[in-house]
Every structure is written in structure tokens, then in C-alpha cells.
């Protein structure tokens, strides 16, 4: 249950932050949410990765459909040398998800109990 609330909170706050802040705000959101709702580093990475991947994939698809695939097709031809709008959306979602996942796992490592060596 804690993982789902972590997932949902990152998804909602990343969307809200993305409306007014730059693209890298997903890292801030994932870091802060993981500090507030601590999970293990692996679970926090997976939860943040999945939430931002789904969010960015849905947003990319929504924007792509709104402009009839014109911009995404042209950008994919220029960057990837292939005319594939969905591939461009998946790649951008994967990059954003990696950023959020690494930020969340960093916060999990910050909260991890420190072992004192004497």
C-alpha cells in the first residue's frame, strides 16, 4: 500500500510541478516524496520510474494526437532518422523516468540508517 501511495503521489505532484516548473522538476518531486514516504532504494526507484514513465508517455501521446503527429514525426526524423512518433515518446518518457528513479533512490539512500563503525 505504501508503494502505491508513493507511486500516486509522485504521479500527481510531478504533473502539477510540470505545469509551472521545468522538466527536471520530476527529480525534485521524486526526491521529496521519497524523503517523506521512505521506501527501500529499489522500490523507490521502481515506483518513481514507473510513475514518471506513465505520466510522460500519456502526456506525449496526448500532445501528439492534438497536433496530428506533425511535430513528433518531424522531430523523430531529425533526431532518430526514423519517422516514428511513438518511439520518440517512449524515449523521452524513458529519460524522464530515469531521472525520477535516480532521484528517488538517492533520497532512499539518504534516509537509509547509517552504520557506525567503531
Amino acid at each position: 500500500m505504501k508503494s502505491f501511495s508513493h507511486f500516486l503521489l509522485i504521479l500527481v505532484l510531478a504533473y502539477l510541478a510540470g505545469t509551472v516548473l521545468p522538466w527536471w522538476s520530476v527529480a525534485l518531486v521524486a526526491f521529496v516524496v521519497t524523503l517523506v514516504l521512505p521506501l527501500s532504494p529499489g522500490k523507490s526507484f521502481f515506483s518513481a520510474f514507473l510513475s514518471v514513465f506513465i505520466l510522460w508517455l500519456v502526456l506525449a501521446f496526448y500532445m501528439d494526437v492534438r497536433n496530428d503527429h506533425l511535430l513528433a514525426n518531424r522531430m523523430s526524423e531529425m533526431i532518430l532518422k526514423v519517422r516514428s512518433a511513438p518511439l520518440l515518446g517512449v524515449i523521452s518518457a524513458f529519460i524522464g523516468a530515469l531521472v525520477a528513479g535516480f532521484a528517488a533512490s538517492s533520497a532512499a539512500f539518504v534516509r537509509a540508517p547509517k552504520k557506525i563503525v567503531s
Side-chain angles (χ1 to χ4, degrees), residues 1-10 13 29-40 43-44 47 104 107-108 111:
M1 188 65 189
K2 195 174 194 181
S3 295
F4 183 70
S5 61
H6 188 264
F7 167 82
L8 201 57
L9 195 58
I10 289 176
L13 291 179
V29 167
F31 190 85
V32 170
V33 168
T34 305
L35 283 179
V36 172
L37 294 173
L39 291 175
S40 69
K43 286 182 181 180
S44 64
S47 176
R111 284 203 48 119

Side-chain angles (χ1 to χ4, degrees), residues 30-83:
F31 190 85
V32 170
V33 168
T34 305
L35 283 179
V36 172
L37 294 173
L39 291 175
S40 69
K43 286 182 181 180
S44 64
F45 178 87
F46 183 69
S47 176
F49 182 91
L50 197 59
S51 64
V52 172
F53 185 82
I54 290 171
L55 174 68
W56 278 23
L57 194 62
V58 167
L59 289 176
F61 179 73
Y62 176 70
M63 287 185 237
D64 191 36
V65 168
R66 283 182 57 201
N67 71 9
D68 201 27
H69 313 288
L70 294 176
L71 181 62
N73 281 328
R74 290 182 183 169
M75 293 300 294
S76 67
E77 282 179 10
M78 186 184 336
I79 295 171
L80 305 172
K81 308 296 186 218
V82 175
R83 188 180 177 112

Side-chain angles (χ1 to χ4, degrees), residues 75-105:
M75 293 300 294
S76 67
E77 282 179 10
M78 186 184 336
I79 295 171
L80 305 172
K81 308 296 186 218
V82 175
R83 188 180 177 112
S84 175
L87 181 62
L88 188 68
V90 168
I91 289 172
S92 63
F94 184 75
I95 291 170
L98 277 179
V99 169
F102 286 135
S105 64

